[in-house]
Amino acid sequence: MVYRRCGCADAVTGKRLGNRCARLADPAHGSWYFAVQVTDVSGRRQRLRRGGFHTAGAARQAARDLARSLEAAPVTGYCTVAQWLRYWLSVVEQRIRPTTYKAYRDHVRLFLIPYLGLIPLRGLSRRHVVRMFSTVAQRRTRYGRPISAATLERIRATLRAALNEAVREDVIRDNPARGLRLPSPRHVHPVVWTPRRVAAWRRTGERPAVAVWTVEQLAAFLAFVRDDRLFALWWLIALRGLRRAEVAGLRWIDLDTDRRELTITCQLVHTDHGLFPCPPKSASSQRGIALDLDTLRVAAQPRTSPAR
């Protein structure tokens, strides 16, 4: 918040007029101040005021600079969980995959800071963490469904990684998120999308979580996209099991027609800064895939027609 004040005082009482001064209507009279609520390294909230700025814009910029400097302050065991999490994100960003960093950042922003942020890091206990997960488990997604056990496990993994870093840096002695019991994620088993299941879905709207096409359904799809300019990619995904990011990251130099082999060396992932090429998901994902003659013919066919 920014406001303008002056040093004018009441002629009788000697008390400052503050915002009651009639001369404040003159833009050249008085100076600008800002007031912000901040959390110090001990976790206490306090109100800071600074003044003497010539314009409202200068006061706002000074407030932003102060907030950034407090967030970048050296972290200790007396800092809050929120301060430690922001510091940890800045440290790990350069050594993890962009998609992993985005997941960490979303968990910190949506769950960890809102529920644990004001607690001093050294005061964080297992009870705090258990209470947070009990509350989060009662929330609903934007689709009105309960938050899944798998999502809770991923949030816990983010918190555990952040607190493990604090243990390694000797900021805290133990990790209160270690060994925490959460509901076990339910493993989803794929089922074949048989004609009977298709008919039940059309009649009732009920469908399995993961449905696998039959050979006839896959052939019908490939026939439908036969003239699509991305037909070769649909073919590869259908018959060679490539991940979406791996297909998007394919380059012509990865195709060796003489050896009839496709090499997976890169994938394209979506980040806040756009599409970003990076290595495959795991070491085993970097692999060579043998190609049959039909696949080579499909890859060699020029396709310039627009997608349907």
Side-chain angles (χ1 to χ4, degrees), residues 222 226 230-242 247 250 252 254-257 260-263 289-303:
L222 291 177
R226 181 71 189 182
L230 299 179
F231 177 72
L233 296 187
W234 301 127
W235 181 282
L236 280 172
I237 293 173
L239 301 183
R240 290 297 181 269
L242 272 66
V247 172
L250 285 177
W252 282 111
D254 298 326
L255 176 64
D256 190 333
T257 56
R260 298 195 334 202
E261 184 181 57
L262 183 68
T263 305
I289 298 176
L291 301 178
D292 57 87
L293 292 176
D294 287 336
T295 299
L296 286 176
R297 280 195 291 269
V298 168
Q301 292 175 3
R303 297 183 181 274

Side-chain angles (χ1 to χ4, degrees), residues 162-184:
L163 297 180
N164 279 342
E165 187 75 19
V167 173
R168 281 191 291 269
E169 294 195 12
D170 294 324
V171 179
I172 58 176
R173 297 181 62 182
D174 300 304
N175 186 341
R178 184 179 300 157
L180 184 69
R181 291 188 177 182
L182 293 175
S184 299

Side-chain angles (χ1 to χ4, degrees), residues 96-228:
I96 59 177
R97 298 169 63 84
T99 49
T100 303
Y101 174 77
K102 184 179 184 302
Y104 281 170
R105 190 195 60 197
D106 289 345
H107 293 159
V108 166
R109 177 176 59 88
L110 296 175
F111 303 103
L112 300 182
I113 285 182
Y115 290 102
L116 304 175
L118 295 180
I119 301 171
L121 183 59
R122 281 188 179 170
L124 184 66
S125 66
R126 177 71 61 86
R127 184 174 298 176
H128 290 126
V129 178
V130 170
R131 188 181 299 123
M132 181 202 77
F133 278 105
S134 298
T135 305
V136 171
Q138 298 173 15
R139 288 178 52 175
R140 297 275 173 168
T141 68
R142 59 180 175 175
Y143 303 108
R145 304 181 189 131
I147 292 180
S148 68
T151 299
L152 294 177
E153 184 59 42
R154 287 191 288 269
I155 296 170
R156 194 268 294 268
T158 299
L159 179 61
R160 186 174 57 207
L163 297 180
N164 279 342
E165 187 75 19
V167 173
R168 281 191 291 269
E169 294 195 12
D170 294 324
V171 179
I172 58 176
R173 297 181 62 182
D174 300 304
N175 186 341
R178 184 179 300 157
L180 184 69
R181 291 188 177 182
L182 293 175
S184 299
R186 182 173 61 90
H187 296 287
V188 178
H189 298 282
V191 299
V192 179
W193 197 225
T194 61
R196 292 183 65 181
R197 288 195 173 98
V198 173
W201 164 65
R202 287 174 174 167
R203 187 174 61 254
T204 66
E206 179 184 353
R207 64 178 301 275
V210 179
V212 180
W213 282 350
T214 63
V215 173
E216 294 77 15
Q217 290 164 346
L218 177 58
F221 170 76
L222 291 177
F224 178 76
V225 297
R226 181 71 189 182
D227 297 327
D228 192 287

Side-chain angles (χ1 to χ4, degrees), residues 28-51:
H29 183 69
S31 58
W32 286 90
Y33 289 71
F34 71 80
V36 293
Q37 291 282 346
V38 300
T39 303
D40 61 23
V41 294
S42 65
R44 293 189 299 269
R45 299 284 292 176
Q46 59 175 309
R47 190 168 189 260
L48 296 182
R49 293 187 296 176
R50 301 287 188 274

